[in-house]
Amino acid sequence: MAHTCRGTINLFTAHFDTEDSCGIVLTSRGRTYHLKTGSEVERQQWIAALELAKAKAVRLMGSQSDDSGDDEDGTASPADKSELHDTIKKLSLKLDDLSTCNELVAKHGVALQRSLSELDGLRIPCESGEKLKAVNERATLFRITSNAMINACRDFLELAETHSRKWQRALQYEQEQRVHLEETIEQLAKQHNSLERAFRSAPGRAANPTKSFSEGSLLTTKGEDSEEDEDTEYFDAMEDSTSFITVITEPKEDRKAESGTTGSVEWTSDNVLDSTSLVPQGPPKVKRRVRIPDKPSYSLNLWSIMKNCIGRELSKIPMPVNFNEPLSMLQRLTEDLEYHHLLDKAVHCTSSVEQMCLVAAFSVSSYSTTVHRIAKPFNPMLGETFELDRLDDMGLRSLCEQVSHHPPSAAHYVFSKHGWSLWQEITISSKFRGKYLSIMPLGAIHLEFQASGNHYVWRKSTSTVHNIIVGKLWIDQTGDVEIVNHKTKDRCQLKFLPYSYFSKEVARKVTGVVSDSQGKAHYVLSGSWDEQMECAKIVQSSPSSPSLDGKQKTVYQTLPAKLMWKKYPLPDNAENMYYFSELALTLNEHEEGVAPTDSRLRPDQRLMEKGHWDEANTEKQRLEEKQRVNRRRRLETCSRGCGAEEAEKEAEVYVPLWFEKRLDPVTGETACVYKGGYWEAKEKQDWHMCPNIF
C-alpha cells in the first residue's frame, strides 16, 4: 500500500488467530485488536475473508516489487542497487588490473631470464662472471616470488568464483521458497473462496452426496479402496443430512401398531436394549491402578521433522517419542473392548435385529476414546504380543500379536465366557498429507455368538487428524460402515458424518438403519461416536415428497428412542495423563507371568510412561536398529537358497507364533487366526519359543 489513512490495518504484516468460539485476535505492528462475532459460524466466515484479503495483499506487494525492475531483491532501494553496481564494477576493474599485471610479470620475467642466459654464454672476465652469477640468482628468486604471487592470485580468484556460485544458489533457493510460499497462500485463499461460493450457491446440499441407505444398495468395502488420490481436494460437508427422516410416534399409536406383532421383545418392557442394565455391576476383584505419571512438557520443532515426511508412509518414518503416547498399537486395539458389556447383553437377545443394534453400538463405542487422543501409539516390534487376561472382572481373554512390520499388521483374538468371540487382523495404512493425517485400518472384524451362531462382519472407518502443522490438533471419523450378519443376512448401515463449521448437525454425529434380509427397516440408530448411541423402533415407513433437486428420502415413524450406550466419564486429571480412560490406564500396568514379548515389557515405552523421554528416545533407536539387524539376518539366510528378489520377499515373511494364515470362508480373504497354545504356555510358564525382541 502506497499510503494509509488513520485506523488502517496493513494485512500484509497482520496476524490473526481465534480467541474462543466467537472471538478473533488481530495483531499488527505491535498492536492487538480483539474482535467479537455473533456466532462460531460468523467467526469462521470472518477468518476466511481475512485470509483471502491477506493473500491478495501479499500478491499486490509482490507485483509492486516485480514492477520495480529488481529481480534479485524485491525490497532493494535505488540507492542500494546503485551501490551494488558500483561495487561490482570496481571489483571487475581490479580483477582486470590484476590479470594485466600477471601477464606483464610473466612476460618480463621470461625476457630477463633469456637475457641472463645469453650473457652467461659470453666470454667475460672471472670477476664479471661472479657478478653475473649473483644477478642470475636474484632473477631466479624474483621468478619464484612472482610465481608464488601468481598462484596466490589464482587461488583467490577460484575461491571467489566458488563462493559466488554458492551465494547465487542460496539466493536462488530463497527466491524459490518465497514463490512457493506465495503460491501456497494463494491456493489456500482460492480454496476458501471456492468453499464460500459453494456454500452460497447450495446452502442445503452436501458437498459430496452419497447414496441413500434406503436405496438398498450394498456399501463397497472401505479396506482396499481407502487410499485417497494425492490430488483429491476435500471440503467440509454442507449440512450433510441423513438419507432418511424420523418422526417420533406417541406411545398410544405404538401399541396399536404393534398389537399384531409377534416374536420380538416388547419395546416398552425392560429388555436388553434398555440402558438401565448396560453398565457392569460389582467392583473388580483385582485392584487396578487409577493414574500414571503426569505427561512432561517438552518443546519440539514440529516443522523440522514433518517437512521431510510429506507423502510418506507414517510407519516408515523415525519419530521421537514426543509424538507418542505410552501405549502400543496392540494395546490400543485391545482398548476397543472397553464397552464389552454391550456384547454380553447382546448374547441374551432373542431377536437378531435387536442384537444387531447392540453390535452396532459396540462398533461405534470403539471410537469414543479417540476424541482427545491425538498422540500416536508405539509401532509394535515384529513378534510383539499383548495379553489381557481379565476373566475375573471382564469375563474375557484377549491376545494380540504383531504379525507383520511393513505393512504394520496385528492379529487379535478375544474369547468371552459369556458366549461370544471376536477376531480380526488389522493393517494400518497411514499417509501424511501436509495439512492432515489419514489413518485407514484395513481388514475385517468378525464377531460370533456361540449360542445363536450369528456371525457379524464389519470394517473400521477412516480416521483423520487435522491441523498437523498449524492450529490445534483434532481428530474426526468419517465414512460408511456396513455390518452384516452372515447367518440371517441382517444388515446395519452406519454413516459417520464429517464435522463441518457450516453444518447444523451435532458434531461427530453417527446415524444408521438396521434392516432384515428382505430389506425391511426395523430400527433407526442415532448418536455421536464420542458420547452415546440410541435406537428407535420403526413402526411405519413411507417416502417423502421429492425435494427441489428431485431426490426423495424415506420417512421413518418410530417409537421414542432408547439409550443403548453412553461413554464413561474420563478419570480426574485425564488431560495430564494423555486423556487415558480407566481401562487405558491399566493396560500398561506391570503384570507377572506375561510372555517376554508382551508390550508391558517394552523398555522405551516404559521409560516414556515414567517421564524419561530422552532415555526413551535412545532406547527406541536401539530397538529399531535391533529389528533392522534381525531382518538383515533373515535376508542373508534366505539369499543362500534363492535369488535376491525372492530372498527379499522371504525376509519380509514372518511366521507368527500364536496365529496362522487361513482362508476366511465368509469374506474370501486370507487372514491370521488364533491357533491356540498361548494360555497353556502361560499356565506352564514355558516361553522358550518366544523370540528376544527387547
Side-chain angles (χ1 to χ4, degrees):
M1 298 177 65
H3 62 276
T4 60
C5 60
R6 185 176 181 182
T8 300
I9 300 175
N10 189 354
L11 289 179
F12 181 78
T13 58
H15 173 73
F16 32 87
D17 200 355
T18 57
E19 188 174 21
D20 51 28
S21 60
C22 298
I24 302 175
V25 179
L26 195 149
T27 306
S28 177
R29 300 186 180 276
R31 293 186 178 182
T32 302
Y33 304 87
H34 296 271
L35 310 179
K36 198 75 173 180
T37 60
S39 64
E40 185 176 358
V41 174
E42 186 179 355
R43 184 205 66 180
Q44 185 59 27
Q45 291 174 348
W46 271 104
I47 290 290
L50 289 172
E51 289 281 2
L52 183 61
K54 182 174 182 179
K56 291 180 179 178
V58 171
R59 291 200 304 271
L60 180 62
M61 293 297 293
S63 62
Q64 291 177 352
S65 299
D66 293 339
D67 293 340
S68 67
D70 185 11
D71 295 334
E72 295 296 323
D73 188 357
T75 61
S77 63
D80 293 336
K81 290 189 293 182
S82 177
E83 182 180 357
L84 180 62
H85 286 307
D86 291 340
T87 303
I88 293 175
K89 186 176 181 180
K90 290 179 181 179
L91 287 175
S92 300
L93 292 175
K94 292 296 181 183
L95 284 175
D96 292 338
D97 293 343
L98 187 61
S99 178
T100 303
C101 291
N102 177 29
E103 293 175 358
L104 291 175
V105 167
K107 179 180 178 180
H108 293 313
V110 170
L112 177 61
Q113 194 69 32
R114 189 186 307 115
S115 299
L116 292 175
S117 298
E118 291 175 355
L119 288 175
D120 194 22
L122 298 176
R123 294 180 179 179
I124 55 179
C126 182
E127 183 178 352
S128 299
E130 292 178 357
K131 291 183 178 180
L132 185 60
K133 185 176 180 181
V135 171
N136 195 7
E137 290 176 353
R138 292 177 181 176
T140 303
L141 290 175
F142 172 77
R143 179 174 56 84
I144 294 174
T145 305
S146 300
N147 289 336
M149 186 194 70
I150 292 172
N151 292 333
C153 292
R154 187 184 297 113
D155 293 340
F156 168 78
L157 187 60
E158 291 176 355
L159 185 62
E161 290 177 350
T162 302
H163 281 284
S164 176
R165 288 193 296 268
K166 186 185 299 183
W167 295 333
Q168 190 69 26
R169 286 196 301 268
L171 181 60
Q172 184 178 0
Y173 174 78
E174 291 297 331
Q175 289 177 338
E176 292 173 353
Q177 290 294 103
R178 186 186 67 178
V179 172
H180 177 69
L181 182 59
E182 291 175 352
E183 291 175 351
T184 303
I185 295 175
E186 184 178 359
Q187 184 180 5
L188 288 174
K190 288 180 179 178
Q191 289 180 358
H192 278 291
N193 194 19
S194 175
L195 189 60
E196 287 181 348
R197 287 199 305 269
F199 175 68
R200 294 193 190 100
S201 61
R205 300 181 185 178
N208 187 16
T210 57
K211 289 186 177 181
S212 170
F213 285 151
S214 58
E215 293 177 343
S217 60
L218 302 182
L219 296 176
T220 56
T221 57
K222 300 296 291 181
E224 288 69 25
D225 298 330
S226 57
E227 277 283 358
E228 300 104 340
D229 192 345
E230 293 286 347
D231 299 328
T232 304
E233 292 187 8
Y234 295 90
F235 301 96
D236 286 337
M238 313 298 183
E239 306 205 10
D240 190 5
S241 59
T242 56
S243 55
F244 54 85
I245 303 172
T246 58
V247 178
I248 300 177
T249 305
E250 294 299 325
K252 291 182 180 180
E253 299 179 19
D254 301 341
R255 284 193 284 270
K256 292 180 181 179
E258 291 202 308
S259 59
T261 59
T262 58
S264 62
V265 181
E266 184 65 21
W267 178 255
T268 55
S269 64
D270 187 13
N271 56 60
V272 291
L273 288 182
D274 204 342
S275 63
T276 55
S277 58
L278 290 183
V279 180
Q281 303 296 326
K285 296 183 179 180
V286 179
K287 187 176 178 65
R288 305 284 178 179
R289 68 179 184 180
V290 295
R291 66 169 294 109
I292 60 175
D294 288 354
K295 176 183 178 181
S297 178
Y298 285 98
S299 61
L300 184 68
N301 189 351
L302 178 64
W303 175 245
S304 65
I305 297 174
M306 285 298 184
K307 67 180 181 181
N308 298 320
C309 305
I310 297 177
R312 295 179 60 186
E313 178 70 30
L314 190 65
S315 61
K316 297 183 179 181
I317 299 172
M319 290 283 190
V321 299
N322 305 58
F323 295 100
N324 290 84
E325 62 180 14
L327 288 179
S328 73
M329 181 59 74
L330 304 181
Q331 293 166 314
R332 193 72 176 264
L333 201 60
T334 307
E335 201 176 340
D336 291 351
L337 302 172
E338 182 158 12
Y339 300 95
H340 62 93
H341 60 271
L342 293 171
L343 302 182
D344 298 341
K345 295 297 177 184
V347 173
H348 304 291
C349 286
T350 57
S351 170
S352 60
V353 289
E354 288 183 359
Q355 190 178 70
M356 175 69 82
C357 291
L358 290 172
V359 173
F362 172 78
S363 67
V364 173
S365 69
S366 63
Y367 300 102
S368 63
T369 61
T370 65
V371 61
H372 299 297
R373 303 271 291 280
I374 45 88
K376 175 179 175 289
F378 278 80
N379 287 330
M381 312 297 292
L382 188 61
E384 185 175 333
T385 61
F386 179 73
E387 67 160 68
L388 187 69
D389 192 357
R390 303 286 286 271
L391 278 175
D392 293 337
D393 54 344
M394 297 175 63
L396 57 82
R397 274 179 166 176
S398 169
L399 177 66
C400 293
E401 181 179 3
Q402 187 75 1
V403 297
S404 173
H405 189 62
H406 288 307
S409 180
H412 185 203
Y413 177 76
V414 186
F415 166 78
S416 173
K417 67 180 182 181
H418 297 292
W420 58 269
S421 57
L422 181 146
W423 65 96
Q424 60 182 324
E425 182 184 354
I426 297 296
T427 301
I428 301 297
S429 177
S430 54
K431 285 289 185 180
F432 177 60
R433 308 290 186 179
K435 293 183 291 185
Y436 62 93
L437 173 69
S438 295
I439 303 171
M440 297 148 287
L442 312 179
I445 304 172
H446 296 258
L447 172 65
E448 186 176 23
F449 294 94
Q450 280 78 27
S452 62
N454 290 334
H455 187 166
Y456 298 88
V457 178
W458 71 93
R459 301 172 188 270
K460 287 182 172 289
S461 66
T462 299
S463 302
T464 306
V465 183
H466 296 270
N467 294 342
I468 294 293
I469 299 300
V470 179
K472 183 179 180 181
L473 292 173
W474 61 280
I475 193 168
D476 197 15
Q477 311 290 343
T478 57
D480 299 326
V481 174
E482 182 183 51
I483 307 175
V484 181
N485 184 343
H486 284 271
K487 180 184 178 182
T488 64
K489 306 304 179 183
D490 298 338
R491 296 178 184 274
C492 175
Q493 311 278 12
L494 289 175
K495 185 178 184 65
F496 290 76
L497 300 179
Y499 176 75
S500 171
Y501 282 112
F502 306 106
S503 176
K504 296 180 181 178
E505 301 285 359
V506 178
R508 310 177 186 93
K509 185 176 181 179
V510 182
T511 61
V513 176
V514 176
S515 56
D516 59 19
S517 58
Q518 304 301 320
K520 179 183 178 182
H522 288 264
Y523 288 96
V524 170
L525 308 180
S526 62
S528 57
W529 52 264
D530 66 324
E531 284 295 336
Q532 63 182 35
M533 284 296 293
E534 297 177 338
C535 69
K537 189 166 187 177
I538 299 173
V539 294
Q540 188 178 356
S541 62
S542 60
S544 66
S545 301
S547 59
L548 296 177
D549 57 358
K551 294 183 179 180
Q552 202 171 25
K553 294 185 178 182
T554 303
V555 178
Y556 292 125
Q557 194 173 355
T558 68
L559 300 179
K562 295 287 186 179
L563 180 66
M564 293 189 299
W565 160 74
K566 187 175 180 62
K567 180 186 176 182
Y568 299 146
L570 289 175
D572 295 336
N573 196 39
E575 64 276 6
N576 295 322
M577 297 187 296
Y578 309 91
Y579 286 98
F580 281 178
S581 63
E582 289 185 0
L583 177 62
L585 289 173
T586 66
L587 292 180
N588 205 43
E589 186 176 8
H590 181 73
E591 290 189 14
E592 298 291 340
V594 298
T597 54
D598 196 271
S599 299
R600 299 176 180 89
L601 304 178
R602 181 165 175 166
D604 55 347
Q605 186 173 302
R606 181 65 63 185
L607 286 169
M608 182 192 177
E609 182 186 272
K610 294 180 178 179
H612 308 313
W613 285 17
D614 293 336
E615 295 86 342
N617 278 319
T618 303
E619 193 65 23
K620 185 171 182 287
Q621 293 177 5
R622 182 190 68 83
L623 290 175
E624 291 173 350
E625 182 59 30
K626 183 176 182 179
Q627 184 166 247
R628 296 188 193 100
V629 171
N630 291 335
R631 183 187 178 279
R632 286 195 291 268
R633 289 175 180 172
R634 290 199 307 272
L635 181 61
E636 293 174 357
T637 303
C638 297
S639 61
R640 295 171 185 169
C642 55
E645 187 172 337
E646 296 179 2
E648 185 76 19
K649 295 180 180 179
E650 287 291 332
E652 295 294 341
V653 176
Y654 168 77
V655 180
L657 198 56
W658 312 110
F659 292 80
E660 61 183 1
K661 288 281 187 181
R662 293 181 192 170
L663 181 64
D664 190 339
V666 175
T667 62
E669 302 172 352
T670 302
C672 284
V673 182
Y674 179 61
K675 65 181 181 181
Y678 180 86
W679 304 110
E680 293 79 5
K682 181 182 179 182
E683 185 177 354
K684 298 177 183 178
Q685 283 298 297
D686 181 14
W687 304 114
H688 72 278
M689 72 293 290
C690 294
N692 179 16
I693 60 175
F694 298 143

